[in-house]
Each structure stands twice: as structure tokens, then as C-alpha cells.
Amino acid sequence: MEPAPALRADARHNRARILEAAREAFATRGLDVPMAAIARRAGVGVATLYRRFPSRETLITEVFGDELAACASVVDEALADPDPWRGFCSAIEKVCAMQVADLGFTEAFLTAFPDAIDYERTRVRAERGFAEVVRRAKAAGRLRADFDLADLTLLLKANCGVAAGAREAAEAGSRRLVAYLLQSFRAEHAAPLPPAPPLTLALLHERR
Amino acid sequence: MEPAPALRADARHNRARILEAAREAFATRGLDVPMAAIARRAGVGVATLYRRFPSRETLITEVFGDELAACASVVDEALADPDPWRGFCSAIEKVCAMQVADLGFTEAFLTAFPDAIDYERTRVRAERGFAEVVRRAKAAGRLRADFDLADLTLLLKANCGVAAGAREAAEAGSRRLVAYLLQSFRAEHAAPLPPAPPLTLALLHERR
DNA sequence: ACGTAAATGGACGGCCCTCTCCGGTTAGCC
DNA sequence: GGCTAACCGGAGAGGGCCGTCCATTTACGT
């Protein structure tokens, strides 16, 4: 697909340094960190950064490609678990932990990049997989029948709010929130009926 | 406490217009809206705005003073309810609805203003009241015993994450999230034990 | 060793935001 | 009606970030 322009050795080296710097910067200060800060951290000029990654989105897409893939593999692990409910729980716990660990990841998750094809493809794969995890957990009678796929979105956004706080509080808070919610998702506790779920996965990225 | 400088009529009028404009702007576009936009909306110059409210925080404090008071009265209503559990639930539902309805309110809630004395006082009052609501609900055997006051913080932050999305999705999502969590808070469902709650109320405002 | 194309980084113009200064205007009192 | 202090609004200085341009440096094939 790519003609692979064959970067020169120094350029390749700098590209790696930029990605590393961006990863650190995004994780600690969020997606809004100035491009100049990333460049400085990478020990390159701004021009170099812009030449390699024409837009901020390009950079973000590249940086979080791996982490999104990690997300997808978390779902795969869940599917591999012989216990459907345990798989469901651990998938959610792991993704939420990832969100808390990396401030930028959370934002990247919530910000749409319609142009990033790979990105989108991986996400769709993860969603498909998760749908299967949900199906299995329901079939096993452990997950409440009215659990909606959009509830994952809901949980992620909620967790995102918790993740925004101070590191330590965010970690503990997220774990507790997830524990509470997983409890509500259990089939046994489904007695009272919550309102309808008009949250679609696509709506995850909407701004106001 | 205030010597009340006795504003001239036109100044008083403009002050009110500014507050109204700021209220609208904060609600729809969040706390980061440019001062110039507020001034324009109010039909005054920027200088007038700055003369009346020397800092953005002053303005925010004034604007959300009422809403915070509304929060406190929600707690009072909850205390007035003869059914402790119903009071507990409705207090949470109402505050969360307020968060969703006003984008700025959410941010204001999460941003500390150590200088705003009244602000702080009202908040402490609301917290005291809510602690009593919790005590009553536990005493009635409806609220799980290990519910921690910090769980309110947790819920508010989670709801805040949901509230950040598109209006319609945010409303429905928040309702559903609250329903899920309230279910987990019921004493009957307390079977599995969630992790410890090291989230203090004070930590609500921490940045990273 | 050398020539060339690739790569570099800092300086710069443009844009948006905050906050202040100041000449003109107006309310309120006599 | 007229005076004065309070009030007004726009212009502009200051600062931050974005994204580009270009003179200089550097890798790498021969």
C-alpha cells in the first residue's frame, strides 16, 4: 500500500525519538500539549516534527495505534477465556486501567479521526470482538439481558471522567467505579429496569 | 462585610447583562469561552466586563453561586423526604441532571476556587447535608454499609465524563449511568466487595 | 573524497486570547 | 440646564501556539 519512501538513517532515528517524546507528553499532559514541547523533548526542531507528521492528528494516530491494538488484543484475551463472565469483566477492567494510565489515550479514544483508516479498522475489530464477548456472557446467563453495547461507551466515558483527576485518586477511583458497574451488570441484579440506551457507539465522539 | 459601593444605574444594568450572558455562554460552551465572547453577547465592551469582574474566576464564582445553592437545596429536599432511600436517589439524580444541563457547572464543580469564601461555605453545607442523607439511608437498611462519601465524588466525576458528550446522548447516558450506580448502591446488592475508597472529597479538584 | 539530495532547526508571520489604558459619554445631583 | 464623577468601549500591548520558509548541515552512493 505504501511505496515506502525509505527514510535516511538520521531521519528514521529522529522519527522514533519524536514518537517516543509524543507518547510521554500525551500520557502525562494530554492531547493538547504544544507541538513545540514535543519537539523540544525529542531534541528536534518544530519543522522536523511537522515534516514527519503534517498534522497533530497524524502524530496522535501513530502514537495510539499500538495502544488501540492492545485494546483489541484485550478483547481477544477475553474471548479466549473459558469463563465468559470472567472474560467480560477482565476486558473491561483492563481497558479502564489503560485509560487511567494514559491521559492521552483517553482523549484519543474519545476524539474521532475519520481519516485514520487503520485506526478505524482496529476499532471496528475490537467492537466486533466485544460484541461477541457480550453475547457469550449473556448466553451463559451471567450478564443481564438488557445490557447494551452502548453501555460500554457509557462506561468508558464515565471512567474517562474519573481518569481526569490526580493520578492516585484516578487509579483507585476507576477500580471502584468499575467494580460498582460490573456489579450492576450481573444478571442477578437486573431487577429494576434502567432507562433506554440511545447512546450509539458512533455518538461517542460527538462534541457539543 | 461589603461596603456596597452603590453602582450607578447603568452600571448595575450592565452587570446583570454580563452575568446573564456569562451564564448562557458557560452553559453551552464551557468555562473556557473567551471573555470577549461574553462581553459581545452582553452588548458591552471587554473593559466593562473586566472592571466589574477583575478575573475570570470572579465571574465564574458569581455565576455559579446560585447553582451551587440549588445543589445545597437539593440536599435539603432529600433530607425532607420521609423515605431516606428515595431522598438519596432523587438527590443524586437531580445533581447529575444539573451537571448534564450545564457544561460550565460541571467544570466549575471540578475546579477549585480557594478564594471564593461563600462558594466554599455553601459546598461544605451541601456536603454535611449529604452526609446526613447517607447516614439516614444506611440506617434504614437501604444503602449498602460500605458506601463511602467519596463515592459521591466518584459518581460526579463519572457523570462529568458522560456529560461532556453531545447533548442528547449526554442526557440519556447520564440517566442510565445513574440508574446503574444507584442499583449497585442498594444494600441488597452489596455482596461482592469493591476495593478501598481512597478518594477524598478534597481530592476532587486535583489536577495532574 | 566529493557531490547531491535529503534532512535539519530556528526564525517568522498569522491568529487568538488576556488584560489595560485612555479619550469620549452619561447618569445623577444641584 | 449644567457640572462632575462614574462609566463606557475600542484600540493595542503582550504572550502563546501553529505551521511554513529557507539557509545550512549531513548522510550516503560512487
Side-chain angles (χ1 to χ4, degrees):
Chain A
M1 191 174 283
E2 288 275 309
L7 289 176
R8 226 168 62 178
D10 54 346
R12 221 176 323 116
H13 177 242
N14 276 340
R15 189 175 193 283
R17 305 234 324 157
I18 289 171
L19 279 174
E20 179 55 26
R23 202 183 317 277
E24 290 173 21
F26 287 152
T28 58
R29 291 200 272 168
L31 254 34
D32 287 339
V33 60
M35 294 298 251
I38 297 175
R40 204 177 329 114
R41 188 171 212 147
V44 303
V46 243
T48 302
L49 196 163
Y50 276 104
R51 194 174 319 104
R52 220 47 74 198
F53 304 96
S55 71
R56 173 183 295 265
E57 287 190 4
T58 316
L59 180 58
I60 292 173
T61 303
E62 189 93 11
V63 166
F64 291 104
D66 313 357
E67 306 216 33
L68 188 61
C71 248
S73 68
V74 159
V75 172
D76 290 339
E77 284 173 40
L79 279 173
D81 195 318
D83 180 340
W85 174 250
R86 197 175 53 189
F88 174 84
C89 290
S90 75
I92 286 180
E93 282 161 359
K94 283 179 194 162
V95 173
C96 285
M98 287 173 67
Q99 273 197 332
V100 171
D102 189 332
L103 198 51
F105 181 58
T106 305
E107 290 178 61
F109 223 98
L110 261 54
T111 315
F113 297 117
D115 50 349
I117 304 118
D118 287 2
Y119 213 88
E120 196 61 22
R121 205 179 30 154
T122 310
R123 211 181 63 194
V124 167
R125 185 166 79 84
E127 285 174 4
R128 291 267 165 79
F130 187 75
E132 175 61 14
V133 169
V134 166
R135 197 198 57 73
R136 285 205 317 157
K138 280 186 185 176
R142 305 295 308 279
L143 177 62
R144 56 191 298 163
D146 59 354
F147 180 89
D148 192 285
L149 269 186
D151 285 336
L152 173 65
T153 302
L154 192 58
L155 186 151
L156 290 177
K157 295 195 87 166
N159 190 61
C160 168
V162 173
R167 169 80 75 180
E168 201 182 347
E171 284 175 7
S174 170
R175 274 196 298 271
R176 193 164 167 97
L177 175 72
V178 168
Y180 270 136
L181 283 175
L182 285 180
Q183 186 172 286
S184 285
F185 293 161
R186 300 172 74 107
E188 313 94 89
H189 295 336
L193 64 165
L199 259 189
T200 63
L201 269 293
L203 238 61
L204 175 59
H205 312 292
E206 295 299 318
R207 298 224 164 247
R208 287 219 189 195
Chain B
M1 190 176 283
E2 287 275 308
L7 290 176
R8 226 169 60 177
D10 52 347
R12 220 176 324 116
H13 178 242
N14 278 340
R15 188 174 194 282
R17 304 236 321 158
I18 289 172
L19 279 174
E20 179 54 26
R23 199 183 320 277
E24 289 173 22
F26 287 152
T28 58
R29 291 201 272 168
L31 253 35
D32 287 340
V33 61
M35 295 296 252
I38 297 176
R40 202 176 331 114
R41 192 184 280 238
V44 303
V46 239
T48 303
L49 196 162
Y50 277 103
R51 195 174 315 108
R52 221 46 74 197
F53 303 96
S55 72
R56 174 183 293 267
E57 286 190 6
T58 316
L59 180 58
I60 292 174
T61 303
E62 189 93 10
V63 165
F64 291 104
D66 312 357
E67 306 216 33
L68 188 60
C71 247
S73 68
V74 159
V75 172
D76 289 342
E77 284 173 41
L79 280 173
D81 195 317
D83 180 342
W85 175 250
R86 196 176 53 190
F88 174 83
C89 290
S90 76
I92 285 180
E93 282 162 359
K94 282 179 193 163
V95 173
C96 285
M98 287 173 67
Q99 274 197 332
V100 171
D102 189 333
L103 199 52
F105 181 58
T106 305
E107 291 178 61
F109 222 97
L110 261 54
T111 314
F113 297 116
D115 50 350
I117 304 119
D118 286 2
Y119 214 87
E120 197 61 21
R121 205 179 30 155
T122 310
R123 211 181 62 195
V124 167
R125 184 167 78 85
E127 285 173 5
R128 291 268 165 79
F130 187 74
E132 175 61 13
V133 169
V134 166
R135 198 198 55 71
R136 285 205 317 158
K138 281 186 186 176
R142 303 296 309 278
L143 177 62
R144 57 191 298 163
D146 58 356
F147 180 89
D148 192 286
L149 269 187
D151 285 335
L152 174 64
T153 302
L154 192 58
L155 186 152
L156 290 178
K157 296 196 87 167
N159 190 60
C160 168
V162 174
R167 168 81 73 178
E168 202 183 346
E171 284 174 7
S174 170
R175 275 196 298 271
R176 193 165 167 97
L177 175 72
V178 168
Y180 270 135
L181 283 175
L182 284 180
Q183 186 173 286
S184 285
F185 293 159
R186 298 171 76 105
E188 312 94 88
H189 296 334
L193 64 166
L199 258 190
T200 63
L201 270 291
L203 239 60
L204 175 60
H205 311 294
E206 295 299 320
R207 296 225 165 246
R208 287 220 186 191

